[in-house]
Amino acid sequence: MTRPRTLYEKIWDAHVVEQRPDGTCLIFIDRHLVHEVTSPQAFAGLRASGRTVRRPDLTLAVPDHNLPTTARRDASGNRLPIADAESAAQLAALETNAPAFGIRYIDAVAPEQGIVHVVGPEQGFSLPGTTIVCGDSHTACHGGIGALAFGIGTSEVEHVLATQTLLLQPAKTMEVRVEGEVGPGVTAKDIILHITGVIGAAGGTGHVIEYTGSAIRALSVEGRLTVSNMAIEGGARAGLIAPDATTFAYLKGRPYAPKGADWDAAVAYWTSLATDPGATYDKTVVIDAADIAPSVTWGTSPEDVVPITGIVPAPDSFADPSKQAAAAKSLAYMGLEPGTRMQDVAIENIFIGSCTNSRIEDLRAAAAVLKGRHKAAGVKWAIVVPGSGLVKAQAEAEGLDRIFTDAGLEWREPGCSACLGMNPDKVPAGERCASTSNRNFVGRQGPGSRTHLVSPAMAAAAAVTGRLTDVRELID
Amino acid sequence: MTPIEKVEGRAIPFGLKNVDTDVIIPAKWLKTISREGLGRGAFETLRADPDNLFDRPEYKQAPILIAGDNFGCGSSREHAAWALGDLGIRVVIAPSYSDIFSGNAVKNGILPVVLPQAAIDRLLEVAATDPIHVDLDTQTVTTRFQDRFSFDIDPFRKMCLLNGLDEISLTEKSEAAIAAHEKKIATDQPWLIPAIL
Ligand code: SF4
């Protein structure tokens, strides 16, 4: 009998190419997703050393980070140039590098183009039980379908391109179990914000987190991707959710997913990956789903989470002196006074998008709140950015785009957009944004921007009232 | 990559906790397609303050940075390590790092030293007036006041840093094992290879 193993251990073991005496392992990478920002130096490195891409068939490139989300073609269908010279240079580099190295490339105006972490699962390129890497820290997202997915830096991108492997230390395992049923208005985003608040921004450091429990099982694949996406915000190397019938139903028939007899063999294998009864984790945190409210961040660390019914905390309410100092700094940056009710915080900008919350289910949730309503006068800028061209087409087929535009929100082309201040979509200095993205760091949405992380439904509610709002007041 | 063995010099007594890579190098600097010159953008937001630590004459070109818990958290951008390197930093000393950052640091010839908070507090004090010595070979941080702190480091990382080794060349020595793994999945799990569309 083999020792009972966790989902993480099974995937890890199946990918060890070689183990070094010190425990470091050479791990085979099944899928490599490449985008325009973290790859130019890697391709330049390959050229300089005369290396090639070892497995172009396991590599997929798509631009997303700095593409403007405004129209990409003019009225007569010609491609519009990117105004920013550096962004244009990065896109041009990817457009040259992908074909030069024989890599599949989804170009900026292809119907399948989108945020790399939306595109991977949507194309069935990301599969359960695989190892996936990408030069973006939210690669953990693919853990939502049961893939062991890591964000890597540019040197590692070059290493994977050249060798299809990565040198990694085995991680510790952590289980975050969410049991029970969530209340109305509580979404996958609220679950992961709540978890991050409980475990802290460094709570998962050195660990891979497996999310388990009935509240996780009940989530759609879209919701699971949202949860796993933010594993990194709890400091973890990756997140994982065991693949099950929900996952298989989502993947079946997608372009790169296995077909026919291959599909059956794959499902049998994926089913065998679930954590064995009796397997142990290095750490377990149990959360009662009933304790989770629609949540919002008040500070500049994703652990700075309160329920929407809560107040801005006072720095001295924290036991840890360095957290007190960090909280005081956060509040100064955010322009917030301790004791202020979160629901009294006025919002000027709304961003619905990012690899955390730009899938069809997210857009439906936002549209459900916005239907027949209009954004408040105080909301100056409100954009909805679908995660991919396919999500965009689906939303348009369902008439969601009309709901957004009728409500006074802008309907954009797919991309990372205001998730990070790299493309023209930025939040002005000193202004607040209710954002469905994953990071509320200083300057993340543009220099001086003040981010409040929320779910799509909560962002929609804030758009309607012009302040952070308990979405439960707007739904029946 | 420049090998590291002993580093001696002034240490920037920064000490802040949860410093994310957006603070180390703001997103607008990520648009480059080369690795050089990022030192100008390092800690840009903090350096907007004319009285900032980094631009004080005594800390210009300081090879050591003393930071707080969870240094380099946030975005995986390797530009953070390039920016620190371009600023002249060879060693960072902190109670903990994000995993991605410490990996990126090592790959770019920067030594991430982990020491407990008490040691950090003491080093912050020393750094205000005096240089600090870091010895990777003996895994110690010392000062002229007889402080001596030992640190742990993964032996493989230590070897790479001491020899200035490039990881790709090291991995290429495992060609046979990689090829064997590829052969195994091609036979056992053919569905893993995506069909060409
Ligand atoms: S949306 Fe944000 S987190 Fe996601 S891939 Fe783009 S930049 Fe990274």
Side-chain angles (χ1 to χ4, degrees), chain A residues 14-18 20 22 24 26 28 30-31 37 40-41 51 54-55 57-58 84 86-87 90 104 125 130 135-137 151-156 158-159 162-163 165 167 169 201-202 205-206 232 237 255-256 258 262 265-266 269-270 320 322 329 421-422 439 441-442 444, chain B residues 16-18 20-23 27-28 30-35 45-46 69-70 73-79 82 96-100 103-104 107-108 154-157 166-175 177-179 181-182 184-185 189-197:
Chain A
H15 290 84
V16 175
V17 169
E18 209 171 69
R20 304 274 150 92
D22 67 352
T24 309
L26 194 62
F28 192 78
D30 296 322
R31 296 288 187 268
V37 173
Q41 287 96 342
R51 293 183 169 111
R54 183 183 181 96
R55 294 296 302 266
D57 58 331
L58 303 182
D84 179 81
E86 287 167 320
S87 296
Q90 288 191 332
R104 296 165 212 263
F125 187 73
T130 57
D136 178 277
S137 40
I152 56 176
T154 301
S155 293
E156 291 167 309
E158 186 180 335
H159 191 278
T163 68
T165 62
L167 272 172
Q169 286 276 353
T205 303
I232 184 90
R237 289 198 198 167
Y256 293 110
D262 274 353
Y269 174 68
W270 297 336
D320 172 6
S322 64
K329 252 180 122 79
M422 268 195 115
R439 291 209 159 134
F441 296 162
V442 168
R444 172 79 179 182
Chain B
L16 206 66
K17 190 182 161 168
N18 286 324
D20 58 67
T21 53
D22 281 310
V23 171
K28 72 170 212 225
L30 306 195
K31 291 186 173 176
T32 104
I33 53 174
S34 115
R35 298 182 187 198
T45 331
L46 302 172
D69 223 2
N70 202 22
C73 59
S75 142
S76 61
R77 64 189 68 159
E78 192 165 349
H79 304 65
W82 298 335
S96 71
Y97 301 88
S98 85
D99 292 326
I100 294 177
N104 284 338
K107 286 186 187 71
N108 288 282
D154 167 76
F156 180 71
R157 286 184 168 186
D166 146 23
E167 271 190 2
I168 297 181
S169 329
L170 274 170
T171 299
E172 283 170 343
K173 297 189 180 143
S174 304
E175 171 57 34
I178 301 173
H181 184 91
E182 287 177 322
K184 190 176 91 188
I185 54 174
Q189 299 177 322
W191 48 266
L192 250 180
I193 318 300
I196 306 291
L197 294 188

Side-chain angles (χ1 to χ4, degrees), chain A residues 345-384:
Chain A
V345 174
I347 295 289
E348 299 90 13
N349 303 278
I350 305 289
F351 171 53
I352 298 175
S354 90
C355 59
T356 317
N357 282 129
S358 62
R359 297 175 188 83
I360 190 68
E361 173 180 296
D362 301 314
L363 303 186
R364 286 179 190 144
V369 174
L370 287 163
K371 190 166 187 174
R373 294 190 167 109
H374 199 272
K375 77 174 170 69
V379 173
K380 296 193 264 183
W381 190 66
I383 60 170
V384 186

Side-chain angles (χ1 to χ4, degrees), chain A residues 64-65 115-117 136 138 354-356 416 419-420 438 444:
Chain A
D64 57 1
H65 277 57
I115 305 172
V116 64
H117 308 313
D136 178 277
H138 293 89
S354 90
C355 59
T356 317
C416 294
C419 174
L420 84 175
N438 40 48
R444 172 79 179 182

